[in-house]
Amino acid sequence: MVSDSYLWWRHGVFYQIYPRSFMDSNGDGVGDLQGIIDRLDYLVELGVDAIWISPIFASPMADFGYDVSDYKGIHPMFGDMATFDRLLSEAHRRGLRIVLDYVPNHSSAEHPWFIESRSSRDNPKREWYIWKDGKSDGGPPNNWESIFGGQAWEWDATTRQYYLHLFLPEQPDLNWRNPQVVQAMHEVLRFWLDKGVDGFRMDAVMLCMKHPDFPDNPPVQDQSAWKRIGLTLEPVYTVNRPEIHPMLRAFRQLLDQYDGDRVMIGETWLFELDELVEYYGGELDEFHIPFNFLGTVQPWESGALQAAISAYYNALPTGAAPNFVFGNHDVHRMATRFGAEHHRSAGMLLLTLKGTPTLYYADELGMQDVDIPPARCVDPWGLNAPDLNIGRDPQRTPMQWDRSPNAGFSPAGIDTWLPVAADYGKVNVAVQRNDPESTLQFYKALLKLRRELPALHRGSFAFVDQTTPGVMAYLREADGRRLLIIINFESKEQQVDYSLLGKTGKLLLSTRFVSPTEVSMSALTLRPCESLLIQLMAHVK
Ligand code: NOJ
C-alpha cells in the first residue's frame, strides 16, 4: 500500500526520456511520441512515477531540440499534437505524470520571432532578442563566451549589429527584460498547463538575465566548474544574476494557479550550495526541485560523497525538498562514471537517499556510454570541443529493448541516428526481464520497496558513524520502521559490525540478490562492491 502522504514530485521517482533515443515507432531511426506510448507499460512495470521528456517541439535540431522554432508545436519527427494528447492521457490513465522541457533562455534562429527580429532594426520584434552595436573597431560588444565555445556574439550583416547567443549561433538569446517576451513565454507555459501537463523542467534558466550594462566577464577562476567545460571567462555577468529570482517567482505563481500539484524543476548547475538553495526561493516560492547535480561530478568515493551529501542536506532551507541527479543527457552515464561494478550500489544510493531521484533512461539496465566513431559524432558541443571529453553522443544512444537487430529500438536495416551499443545482445530489457538476478530486476525490486516503505520515500535520514573505510551506512526511518543501508565502495570483501543498532535485522535487498533473510548485525559480510538494505527489528531503540 502506498501511504496517503505520497506527494508525487516530492516522494516519487522521475525518469528522464531523451525522446530521440527511447523508441522509434515509425522506422526512421529516431525515437518518437508513439514509441513512448508503446512503452508506457514498461515504465509502469519498472515502477517510476513521472517522466520528464527532453524537447519534442518544432526545431531545426541544431542542438537536438534545445533550439525551439515553435514552442506550441510538436516536431513532425516526433509525431503531432493528437499523438501528444494521446501520450498525456495514456500516461495519466496509468498514473504516470508527464513533465515537459521548457527552453526559455533562447529560441531557434528559425523561430518566426527571430526571423522578424533580424529583418530590420525597426521591426516590432527587434527588442525580443539582444542586439548590440559592435565596438568602434568593429569587434563584438564585449568578451562574453558561448558555453559551446567561441564568442557569444554573431554579426548580422543585414542589420549591421551583433546578436547574443550563449549557446550556438543557431540559438539566439531571448530578451527577458522585454515584457512582451515575458508575456509570450508565459503563454507557452499556460498552453501546456491547460492541456494538463504536470510540470516543466526549465532549461538553462540561470542564464536568462544578463547584467544590464553588459560588462566584460573576468578570467575564469582556477577551481571553477566552468573551467572544466572549457570556458576561459567566469560568467559572472551572464549566469546566476539576482534578477532571475523575480522571474522564477512569476513562473511559479503562474503554475500555482493550476490545480493538481504541477511541478517546477530547474536546471541549476551550481556547486556552491548557498547559491543553489536560493533557487527554492526565500519563501519556497521558486523551484520545487532545483536540480542537485553533485552526484554528476563526485567520484565514487565514500568519504567525499558522504561529505557532499551532508553539506547538501545541511544547506537546505526548512521545508525544501531535497533531490539527486546522477546522470542525464548532458553528462556521462552513471554506470560509466562510477564503474560497472558499482552501478547497482549507485542505484541503491540514488534511490534510498532522502529526496526525489531522477533516473536517466536505461540506467535501470546498467547501460554504459557508447564509444562513437568520429564519423558518427553529431553533438555540436562535442564537435566544437573535441579535446574536452564533453561530447554528449555517448550517453544518448538508442534504448536497448531486445536482442533483435537495432536492439528493438528501430526495425532491422534502419540507420539509427546514433549507433546502437555493441553489447545490446546482453544488455537489454527482454533479456534482463527474464533473468531474476539482472540489473533491471534489481531496480524493479528497489523501486517497489521505495514506493511501499514510507521510511524510504519520506522517512528521516541520518548517517551512521563509520569506522570501516570505504563503507557508507545510513538510517531511514518513518512510522517506527527503521531501515539501514550499507554500501561497500571497495572491490574487496569487508566485515562490518552494526550490533549497536540491534542484534538481528531482516535483509530486504542486496545488489547481489539473496532472498530476504535474517542477518546478525554484529557480523555482516559485504561482498566486493555490494550494498545491503536491512530492516532493523522494531523493538530496537
Ligand atoms: C541544457 C540542456 O540540457 C542541453 O542539452 C542544451 O544543449 C543546453 N541547455 C542548451 O539549451
Side-chain angles (χ1 to χ4, degrees):
M1 263 307 274
V2 174
S3 72
D4 290 347
S5 49
Y6 191 84
L7 177 58
W8 73 275
W9 59 262
R10 196 177 179 114
H11 304 127
V13 176
F14 282 84
Y15 183 94
Q16 182 192 353
I17 289 183
Y18 195 67
R20 297 179 61 92
S21 301
F22 196 60
M23 181 65 210
D24 168 20
S25 77
N26 63 354
D28 63 357
V30 183
D32 46 53
L33 297 181
Q34 183 58 49
I36 301 176
I37 297 174
D38 293 343
R39 300 297 174 164
L40 286 174
D41 287 334
Y42 166 73
L43 298 174
V44 173
E45 170 193 330
L46 179 61
V48 297
D49 298 77
I51 52 183
W52 149 37
I53 311 176
S54 287
I56 51 174
F57 316 108
S59 163
M61 294 281 163
D63 188 19
F64 297 107
Y66 284 97
D67 48 321
V68 180
S69 54
D70 178 1
Y71 287 100
K72 299 179 190 169
I74 302 291
H75 194 301
M77 175 191 282
F78 293 128
D80 55 17
M81 198 55 86
T83 319
F84 176 79
D85 291 341
R86 226 164 0 93
L87 168 61
L88 193 59
S89 64
E90 289 292 323
H92 284 170
R93 197 164 65 76
R94 291 168 172 81
L96 288 170
R97 308 281 183 148
I98 300 270
V99 168
L100 292 184
D101 226 299
Y102 176 67
V103 189
N105 179 67
H106 45 270
S107 72
S108 160
E110 292 183 27
H111 196 295
W113 298 340
F114 188 70
I115 293 174
E116 277 193 53
S117 181
R118 78 184 313 172
S119 65
S120 74
R121 286 200 190 195
D122 52 14
N123 183 278
K125 293 238 166 30
R126 185 67 170 181
E127 299 305 319
W128 282 45
Y129 292 84
I130 299 171
W131 292 96
K132 290 268 169 239
D133 291 332
K135 286 207 171 125
S136 50
D137 65 358
N142 66 20
N143 71 354
W144 291 358
E145 284 176 308
S146 153
I147 307 272
F148 285 165
Q151 69 179 37
W153 296 97
E154 185 77 1
W155 176 247
D156 178 61
T158 314
T159 57
R160 306 195 57 75
Q161 278 191 314
Y162 287 90
Y163 68 85
L164 182 69
H165 59 88
L166 291 178
F167 293 92
L168 298 173
E170 293 89 341
Q171 295 167 296
D173 282 39
L174 282 158
N175 177 10
W176 276 88
R177 293 184 190 271
N178 179 342
Q180 292 178 346
V181 168
V182 176
Q183 197 191 337
M185 289 301 285
H186 278 196
E187 259 169 45
V188 171
L189 292 173
R190 283 202 199 90
F191 175 83
W192 294 105
L193 290 166
D194 287 338
K195 278 191 172 290
V197 306
D198 298 288
F200 302 96
R201 171 271 189 187
M202 298 188 168
D203 183 76
V205 275
M206 299 189 317
L207 284 67
C208 287
M209 285 290 182
K210 290 77 178 165
H211 192 291
D213 300 336
F214 292 79
D216 276 353
N217 274 326
V220 74
Q221 289 158 19
D222 265 356
Q223 299 307 317
S224 170
W226 300 104
K227 197 169 179 175
R228 269 185 257 147
I229 60 165
L231 292 197
T232 66
L233 303 171
E234 197 70 28
V236 289
Y237 297 120
T238 37
V239 179
N240 192 23
R241 305 291 315 159
E243 299 94 317
I244 292 165
H245 295 284
M247 167 180 168
L248 296 178
R249 286 197 287 276
F251 286 163
R252 176 64 181 272
Q253 280 160 20
L254 192 157
L255 258 75
D256 284 350
Q257 287 161 15
Y258 287 79
D259 59 5
D261 295 322
R262 316 293 173 110
V263 73
M264 193 167 130
I265 304 174
E267 192 207 14
T268 39
W269 285 100
L270 288 168
F271 298 103
E272 296 296 333
L273 293 171
D274 50 341
E275 293 180 351
L276 173 62
V277 300
E278 274 185 36
Y279 281 79
Y280 286 100
E283 308 288 324
L284 300 185
D285 50 359
E286 296 180 29
F287 289 119
H288 299 96
I289 300 182
F291 267 151
N292 161 19
F293 291 118
L294 74 84
T296 68
V297 292
Q298 288 291 332
W300 188 249
E301 202 271 293
S302 57
L305 262 171
Q306 181 160 334
I309 294 164
S310 294
Y312 173 68
Y313 285 143
N314 289 335
L316 289 175
T318 308
N323 80 90
F324 291 90
V325 178
F326 283 9
N328 67 20
H329 64 298
D330 290 329
V331 294
H332 298 302
R333 281 190 174 273
M334 63 188 256
T336 299
R337 238 169 20 82
F338 292 144
E341 67 282 24
H342 298 296
H343 177 69
R344 291 187 193 184
S345 284
M348 178 78 98
L349 180 66
L350 177 64
L351 293 168
T352 61
L353 283 170
K354 183 181 172 66
T356 310
T358 301
L359 286 168
Y360 184 50
Y361 79 97
D363 280 348
E364 71 277 18
L365 306 176
M367 200 168 140
Q368 304 262 354
D369 276 8
V370 176
D371 271 340
I372 308 291
R376 298 284 310 263
C377 289
V378 290
D379 173 30
W381 196 6
L383 292 170
N384 278 352
D387 304 330
L388 288 176
N389 188 26
I390 47 179
R392 298 168 295 176
D393 298 319
Q395 61 266 29
R396 295 177 175 181
T397 62
M399 176 73 175
Q400 295 163 204
W401 292 105
D402 59 39
R403 56 187 346 154
S404 65
N406 279 333
F409 165 77
S410 282
I414 298 293
D415 276 337
T416 54
W417 79 284
L418 280 173
V420 173
D423 65 4
Y424 77 88
K426 276 195 248 142
V427 181
N428 67 58
V429 172
V431 164
Q432 294 199 13
R433 206 183 242 146
N434 291 325
D435 172 0
E437 302 213 336
S438 67
T439 300
L440 176 61
Q441 298 295 4
F442 168 74
Y443 269 85
K444 275 164 66 173
L446 181 54
L447 284 160
K448 186 164 182 285
L449 285 170
R450 191 182 192 285
R451 178 176 280 255
E452 286 174 355
L453 299 176
L456 285 183
H457 64 250
R458 63 169 168 80
S460 61
F461 178 97
F463 279 116
V464 176
D465 277 348
Q466 188 48 59
T467 46
T468 312
V471 174
M472 181 193 282
Y474 47 92
L475 288 166
R476 302 292 317 272
E477 178 170 4
D479 307 338
R481 202 157 178 183
R482 290 213 298 175
L483 303 173
L484 175 69
I485 294 97
I486 314 173
I487 299 176
N488 181 6
F489 281 71
E490 305 284 324
S491 310
K492 61 173 191 224
E493 189 171 291
Q494 308 233 59
Q495 304 293 328
V496 284
D497 176 352
Y498 287 100
S499 49
L500 274 177
L501 299 171
K503 244 188 174 154
T504 55
K506 186 168 160 207
L507 179 60
L508 299 182
L509 187 67
S510 153
T511 48
R512 304 278 297 261
F513 273 99
V514 279
S515 16
T517 172
E518 196 165 291
V519 289
S520 159
M521 298 302 292
S522 61
L524 284 165
T525 302
L526 299 168
R527 287 171 289 179
C529 313
E530 187 179 28
S531 302
L532 307 178
L533 171 55
I534 295 171
Q535 184 183 322
L536 298 173
M537 289 314 172
H539 61 271
V540 176
K541 269 268 158 259

